[in-house]
Amino acid sequence: MAYDRPDAPETDVNAGPAPDLAASNRDAPSRAPTPDASAPAAITLDHVSKQFARFPALRDVALAVQPGELLAVVGPSGSGKTTLLRLIAGLEFPDQGRILFGDEDVTLAKASDRRVGFVFQQYALFKHMSVARNVAFGLDVRRRDRPNRKHRDARVAELLKLVELEGLAKRYPMQLSGGQRQRVALARALAVSPRVLLLDEPFGALDATVRKSLRRELRRIHDATQVTTVFITHDQEEALELADRVVVLNQGRIEQVGVPEEILSRPATAFVAGFVGQANVFDGEVRAEVFEAAGMRLPAEGVADGPAQAYIRADQFALGDAANEDGGGLEVLVRRAPPCTGLVRLEVDLEGRLFEAALPRREGFATPAAGDRLRLKVVGGRVFSSPA
Amino acid sequence: MAGLTLPPRAAAAAAPPAVGQDPPWVRALVLTAVVGFIGLFLFAPLAMVFVGALSKGVGPVLHALAQPDSLSAIGLTLLVAAIAVPVNAVFGVCAAWAVAKHSFPGKAFLITLIDLPFSVSPVVAGLIFVLIFGLQGWFGSWLSDHDVKIIFAAPGIILATIFVTFPFVARELIPLMQAQGVDEEEAAATLGATGLQTFWRVTTPNIRWGLFYGVLLCNARAMGEFGAVSVVSGHIRGQTDTMPLHVEILYNEYDFVGAFSVAALLCLLAVVTLALKALVEALEPQFLESGAPRHGV
């Protein structure tokens, strides 16, 4: 598996403290995109466009979010990620196109009528309310079926247990750490049994260690509640690790939608290869579906003859053997070799050009040090025609 | 690397003085100047009012305040404030809400309009109302035909006071609401709250201390306004005299104890306002930033 799922789902459901949550979503198929084409998507964006002043935020975006899936929207800042999320939530309205929840057209429905859970980047907790009141807010403002106090308190306790904040019900947001606020925001959004949970850069404001553990938390909570979830991030690693499927957005357009494995190994566009794979770019030439550049040769199926660029991820290099390498291999000088675990990450210098190579650790093989000369071979990568 | 392992205290001691740390004599000089200025121009005159009122003891003060004309002035001032302050609180909240949480064409113009009463001399403000409602004014003949008295009567005084004190609440709230943004309102909307629920449960609690402070200032000015009220009141003793106008009348009649007694009562209002403000700030150190109590309840 290309990405890490720290908790197995079956243990989660049992351990999950939210039987009612699980029950309310029982009809949802268990995680992952369903191949069942007859079931309507949880959310459908039907060729949606949105323009702010003169700047187009989204251009003709078509996307179907499957029931119960955890979908990541990834892209650089200004790519329209937040706009996409706000359109789904009903905090903005599209200029063109339709938005459907299941079969229901919600294009013009108000945010308060959509029953979405929205976790804001800065959490937007109600500062003057305790944690418990924050979580209960969505239940307290109901005009129909407002639960009585006992039910409400039970629900709040259940949600706080789900996000592991049982002891903090009476605290105020200002007394909580960033990670705790994030959990409160999540519990508050889940309280309304949302049809879809939307998270705007859920880990953006947290430090690295908290991010890691909260990522796992989000996956666990998602598996326990089975609620259809869309989160946006500018961190491609986060998207690949966490999501069932990833949408790559660039300049308001969808570049690719796919499972993380597919996005990483078969990037549809040069942008995806560069942004998600953080690939190194090598200029060369394609002739008869073979890419050639100094020291390397790659298959380039379906790429027209002419100038082209190879996108090669750091982990798509290996130590080469001068004698029998295809294309001769790359003669590089190791500039930096920081200590690390897992792959050996090196900053290498190819005739004045620096890039990163991550080589598998091999037994009985001395880790390269700065100043060493190595020969690298290219063991993967994607070729795209050079932009005109 | 030794510098990085130093304990913070030692590191701070070794560090050069931070920018803004002026020599002690400069600080002493500036502090003395500020305290001296405040004492001379703010505290001393206020104290003189009480000294002047109490120069012949408490008895004459109470006697002066118990005069029917004084009682009438006090009553009219309270009535004016009781109407003008709530009106301005409501419209101030509305204006601030519209300006801070929404964008619409003409917004910049509206912000300028809100400041208008501050930039117009109160006397001019009073004259505007005379021009509109006075006997020679636009509605003057219609009003006199229907026997409605606005100028030289309580309604005129209330209108002029509302005009002059309008900006206090709005000006207090606009920066506060702008700083708070719309995140919490949007969160409330996604949780299913209607606009009204959002306003009462989310917006209002977040601005309560700013609103309270704005209302205090508004009230102080409403009770103390002289210029605009002077123009529209007509100075009819026992009928259209407010406290500030009454002070002037008594003073012009050389009734110094009476003048200072009423003035002292007005000053007392200022003192109470400041005390309330200090109390709020003591209870709520960050009251301008947020409405959240510091300690869990």
Side-chain angles (χ1 to χ4, degrees):
Chain A
M1 207 174 291
Y3 50 98
D4 179 32
R5 276 183 191 156
D7 299 314
E10 54 273 18
T11 57
D12 277 330
V13 171
N14 293 333
D20 143 38
L21 283 171
S24 66
N25 287 289
R26 191 152 285 157
D27 51 337
S30 70
R31 66 157 65 317
T34 41
D36 182 6
S38 63
I43 310 167
T44 309
L45 299 184
D46 182 9
H47 300 279
V48 166
S49 295
K50 172 75 184 174
Q51 189 142 353
F52 289 117
R54 260 166 276 147
F55 156 74
L58 285 179
R59 295 189 259 197
D60 198 32
V61 165
L63 176 68
V65 186
Q66 300 305 327
E69 84 172 319
L70 179 51
L71 184 83
V73 179
V74 64
S77 48
S79 60
K81 312 186 288 285
T82 301
T83 306
L84 180 74
L85 214 61
R86 291 173 63 86
L87 282 170
I88 298 174
L91 296 171
E92 307 278 356
F93 297 94
D95 299 331
Q96 274 151 41
R98 293 186 310 153
I99 298 170
L100 298 112
F101 284 5
D103 293 328
E104 186 191 342
D105 189 334
V106 297
T107 311
L108 298 175
K110 285 185 294 183
S112 52
D113 296 332
R114 288 197 192 187
R115 229 178 82 218
V116 294
F118 200 109
V119 176
F120 290 80
Q121 196 170 358
Q122 303 297 331
Y123 319 131
L125 296 179
F126 305 127
K127 291 188 284 290
H128 60 285
M129 294 183 202
S130 68
V131 166
R133 299 293 300 191
N134 261 283
V135 176
F137 186 87
L139 304 173
D140 286 340
V141 297
R142 274 208 195 149
R143 279 141 285 160
R144 272 175 296 153
D145 318 321
R146 184 175 355 196
N148 62 30
R149 183 183 261 257
K150 211 179 96 198
H151 278 108
R152 184 197 68 188
D153 292 348
R155 176 88 174 131
V156 169
E158 175 192 300
L159 284 157
L160 288 179
K161 194 170 173 212
L162 178 71
V163 297
E164 295 174 349
L165 287 179
E166 289 111 316
L168 303 181
K170 289 182 175 157
R171 297 265 193 104
Y172 281 83
M174 275 164 80
Q175 302 168 302
L176 302 178
S177 71
Q180 289 168 334
R181 288 179 200 183
Q182 165 79 270
R183 287 155 189 260
V184 175
L186 193 56
R188 182 179 70 176
L190 287 170
V192 293
S193 305
R195 290 191 281 187
V196 47
L197 180 64
L198 306 169
L199 302 103
D200 186 359
E201 295 271 0
F203 314 111
L206 302 170
D207 58 64
T209 21
V210 183
R211 279 176 93 104
K212 273 267 189 225
S213 72
L214 264 176
R215 258 188 230 177
R216 262 179 235 131
E217 278 293 278
L218 178 62
R219 185 73 229 188
R220 178 183 66 77
I221 289 165
H222 175 261
D223 290 343
T225 59
Q226 296 281 316
V227 59
T228 307
T229 304
V230 179
F231 77 97
I232 66 179
T233 173
H234 60 262
D235 182 345
Q236 68 289 342
E237 204 184 303
E238 201 163 272
L240 296 173
E241 179 186 320
L242 204 55
D244 293 321
R245 284 198 307 155
V246 177
V247 176
V248 184
L249 211 56
N250 181 36
Q251 294 185 344
R253 287 183 205 281
I254 290 182
E255 296 265 342
Q256 190 174 5
V257 183
V259 298
E261 171 64 33
E262 193 180 328
I263 299 273
L264 207 54
S265 62
R266 289 191 301 283
T269 63
F271 175 82
V272 176
F275 182 76
V276 181
Q278 294 188 305
N280 304 294
V281 184
F282 293 90
D283 285 308
E285 186 100 13
V286 169
R287 256 189 231 110
E289 299 204 323
V290 174
F291 173 86
E292 279 191 69
M296 68 171 82
R297 184 178 290 164
L298 276 172
E301 225 171 286
V303 182
D305 285 4
Q309 290 175 317
Y311 285 75
I312 299 162
R313 292 198 315 267
D315 62 311
Q316 289 173 321
F317 294 101
L319 279 180
D321 174 0
N324 48 18
E325 262 348 300
D326 210 10
L330 305 171
E331 191 84 52
V332 299
L333 171 69
V334 177
R335 286 278 183 199
R336 281 181 350 106
C340 55
T341 58
L343 295 173
V344 182
R345 294 193 174 269
L346 303 172
E347 188 180 299
V348 299
D349 182 339
L350 174 70
E351 288 157 13
R353 197 192 140 179
L354 295 176
F355 62 90
E356 199 190 55
L359 307 175
R361 217 174 272 274
R362 276 192 284 175
E363 262 180 75
F365 157 72
T367 307
D372 288 358
R373 289 197 169 275
L374 297 177
R375 182 173 292 273
L376 296 180
K377 63 177 173 180
V378 175
V379 295
R382 292 278 280 181
V383 178
F384 298 97
S385 289
S386 295
Chain B
M1 293 308 281
L4 289 178
T5 56
L6 275 177
R9 197 176 292 271
V19 180
Q21 278 292 325
D22 296 311
W25 67 269
V26 172
R27 274 182 280 166
L29 190 72
V30 173
L31 197 64
T32 312
V34 168
V35 170
F37 187 87
I38 290 177
L40 198 62
F41 288 94
L42 296 178
F43 182 75
L46 196 64
M48 278 313 294
V49 172
F50 289 97
V51 170
L54 295 167
S55 57
K56 294 194 176 99
V58 181
V61 173
L62 294 179
H63 179 74
L65 291 178
Q67 294 297 310
D69 289 353
S70 298
L71 287 177
S72 151
I74 293 167
L76 182 59
T77 294
L78 289 178
L79 173 75
V80 168
I83 294 171
V85 173
V87 165
N88 276 338
V90 170
F91 282 107
V93 170
C94 290
W97 185 72
V99 165
K101 308 264 173 176
H102 300 83
S103 73
F104 49 87
K107 185 165 141 175
F109 183 63
L110 184 67
I111 296 175
T112 313
L113 271 189
I114 289 171
D115 279 346
L116 189 68
F118 275 173
S119 49
V120 168
S121 163
V123 176
V124 176
L127 280 173
I128 292 169
F129 286 100
V130 173
L131 205 65
I132 298 172
F133 299 112
L135 213 52
Q136 321 300 324
W138 296 344
F139 304 115
S141 49
W142 186 89
L143 289 170
S144 69
D145 288 350
H146 292 79
D147 206 21
V148 179
K149 273 190 83 76
I150 290 182
I151 298 303
F152 306 143
I157 296 172
I158 292 167
L159 282 174
T161 305
I162 288 174
F163 179 88
V164 170
T165 58
F166 176 74
F168 285 97
V169 172
R171 290 267 306 218
E172 196 65 40
L173 291 181
I174 289 171
L176 181 66
M177 286 173 118
Q178 274 173 338
Q180 287 174 348
V182 294
D183 273 13
E184 287 186 40
E185 278 81 4
E186 288 187 342
T190 63
L191 291 166
T194 60
L196 211 58
Q197 285 175 320
T198 303
F199 182 76
W200 285 117
R201 287 166 182 258
V202 176
T203 307
T204 318
N206 273 335
I207 59 167
R208 58 188 168 186
W209 295 120
L211 178 61
F212 181 67
Y213 188 39
V215 163
L216 278 184
L217 288 177
C218 182
N219 184 55
R221 183 65 190 268
M223 290 190 171
E225 174 56 27
F226 180 87
V229 168
S230 175
V231 176
V232 297
S233 127
H235 303 267
I236 306 166
R237 289 186 78 154
Q239 284 182 39
T240 65
D241 255 355
T242 61
M243 284 168 76
L245 301 182
H246 196 53
V247 171
E248 197 208 16
I249 289 176
L250 292 174
Y251 183 80
N252 287 343
E253 292 171 351
Y254 302 103
D255 180 358
F256 294 127
V257 169
F260 277 118
S261 301
V262 179
L265 200 60
L266 267 176
C267 286
L268 218 52
L269 166 77
V271 172
V272 167
T273 302
L274 287 177
L276 275 177
K277 175 178 170 268
L279 188 72
V280 166
E281 281 174 354
L283 290 174
E284 197 68 59
Q286 313 97 338
F287 83 107
L288 280 183
E289 298 157 35
S290 90
R294 274 175 308 158
H295 305 291
V297 180

